[in-house]
Amino acid sequence: MREQTDTHGVRGSRRGFLKAAGTLAVGLTQWRKSAAASSATLPDGGDSPREPLRIALFQADVTPPLGSPLCEALVKPARRIVDPLSARGVILLTGEKPIVLCAIDWTSILNGGYRVWREVLAQAAGTTPDRVAVHTLHQHDAPSVDFDIEGLLAPRGLSGRTFDVAWARAAVARVGEVVSRSLDQPRRVTHLGLGQAKVDRVASNRRVLGPDGKVLYARMSACTDPAARAAPEGTVDPDVKLISFWDGDVPLVSMTYYATHPQSFYGRGAVSADFVGLARALREATVPEAAHVHFNGAGGNLAASKYNDGAPSRRFELAGRLADGMARAWDSMKKQAIGAQDVGWRVLPVKFPIRRDLDEAKCLSVLDNPNEKLVERVVVASELIWIRRCARGDMLDLSRLRLGSADVLHMPGELFVEYQLAAAAMRPDRFVCMAAYGDCTVQYVGTEIAYRQGGYETGRWSRVAPETEQVLMAAMRTLLG
Ligand SMILES: [Zn+2]
């Protein structure tokens, strides 16, 4: 059943043992000169004059029209709208160029889609794209947008088969207009609030290992196998973290961070922001004076599976438990004074080592074959874009937002939760949050050992090599200083 599958509509396979051989084509993480020049960390207060911190808030509808393909055409197209999808975010105004953070209720945004989102929001906010972080929440009855893939599919008679292209362009432009207008009414920020709380029975690890150290159960978003569900929760980050901005006693925005696949059930053409969207809505109803923006963390190998058999009522149970965690994070919040000098932005472009068996000629032969299934042609088109980006030496931006005693890492791809846990462990003296699902071109990013354990995520649906772990850990260490 589709509801038991993940992003790519394929059951987990136990093969996928990758040969760890060959030269390490490890990309050196480097500071991109322009980014370093324009985005260097601001000094830590000291004698510098105190600029006030201001914030602009925006929210716009990005619900696709009926008939739109969803989730890279791996699920049924939109047949009804259960609840609307939104793009939400904040613009931090510090006296330097603005910093834009945006969270979108879509499955993924990648390649040209990611580039266009950043460029449009940067222009609208009067900043540069390297100071814009765009993230999806990864719901699956939702659009996945890559303007580059249309360039490969359209000449082969497959235009608009993975998403509604004209609508998507208009949606990005509309969000840009809303961003631009939001700058007319920035709010003063005097305080930062930080809180966190454990979430009860939502995320569980999808990869249950057997006695041989290999993946025994691929426990996907909804799981009907009692043995797989009985297995322990496994490695997760149980905490939802919360960052809020205040003007005196008035809360302006609550930003929450929690890592998991957000599906309760999907694949029926019923567009929805799923349980994370419902949890966010519950918080909106409870604290209506603040805006609510939710980011997905490093949830690549996590899902509600252990606690979710896919019955529709689970959506509300999961939403309630996540909202309860968000509420306790809110209640635990401690406030600290904040000014513009307490805000910093740093970008680190990183070259991801590509999966070794990706081959341009093989991709082209499938893409050019009209007898191949649409899903196969779409997948190889997406692989081809990544192969060519790597050949050009393209790097993906990681960034770190410093907010008083908090740091937020903004990451590309569907990272395993181990990255989020490692980032927090690198700076136990700081309040470290992670927003993943930036440019999703790399898809799953496992830990090095995970590629030897087999399983769904580290096979075909990961476009990076096992040594990516070393590259990313080094990059996070650099960013967190
Ligand atoms: Zn996924």
Side-chain angles (χ1 to χ4, degrees), residues 6-8 107 138 140 206 261-263 299-300 414 437 444 456:
D6 185 46
T7 318
H8 311 291
T107 309
H138 200 53
H140 279 19
R206 309 202 310 187
H261 270 73
Q263 295 79 34
E414 288 207 70
Y437 297 91
Y444 289 104
Y456 172 85

Side-chain angles (χ1 to χ4, degrees), residues 7 28 73 93 134 139 180 222 237 287 337 354 359 445 468 479:
T7 318
L28 288 173
L93 304 162
V134 172
Q139 299 95 339
S180 194
D237 184 343
V287 188
I354 189 169
D359 181 271
V445 179
T468 302
L479 279 173

Side-chain angles (χ1 to χ4, degrees), residues 24-36:
L24 296 190
V26 181
L28 288 173
T29 57
Q30 305 169 328
W31 290 102
R32 186 171 60 194
K33 278 181 190 145
S34 62

Side-chain angles (χ1 to χ4, degrees), residues 69 72-75 149 153 156-162 366-367 369-381:
E72 296 178 40
L74 297 167
V75 300
I149 204 168
L153 297 180
R156 293 167 172 88
L158 301 172
S159 179
R161 297 294 289 276
T162 56
V366 175
L367 180 60
N369 183 353
N371 299 319
E372 283 283 359
K373 283 186 189 156
L374 175 68
V375 56
E376 287 301 321
R377 298 176 79 186
V378 166
V379 169
V380 296

Side-chain angles (χ1 to χ4, degrees), residues 110-113 115 146-153 385 389:
L110 51 164
N111 302 310
R115 196 175 59 242
D146 175 2
F147 295 116
D148 289 348
I149 204 168
E150 177 66 8
L152 287 173
L153 297 180
I385 293 164
R389 285 187 74 176

Side-chain angles (χ1 to χ4, degrees), residues 443-477:
Q443 300 204 323
Y444 289 104
V445 179
T447 49
E448 188 155 6
I449 194 172
Y451 290 86
R452 295 196 296 274
Q453 295 166 337
Y456 172 85
E457 299 85 358
T458 49
R460 181 179 195 187
W461 304 109
S462 174
R463 296 191 179 140
V464 296
E467 61 269 23
T468 302
E469 177 180 338
Q470 301 165 29
V471 176
L472 274 194
M473 292 292 182
M476 295 196 308
R477 225 170 272 125

Side-chain angles (χ1 to χ4, degrees), residues 45 71 86 111 125 127 188 253 270 306 309 328 347 352 412 440:
C71 192
S86 58
N111 302 310
T127 190
R188 182 182 70 151
V253 59
K306 180 170 172 60
D309 59 8
R328 284 181 286 106
V347 180
F352 282 63
C440 282

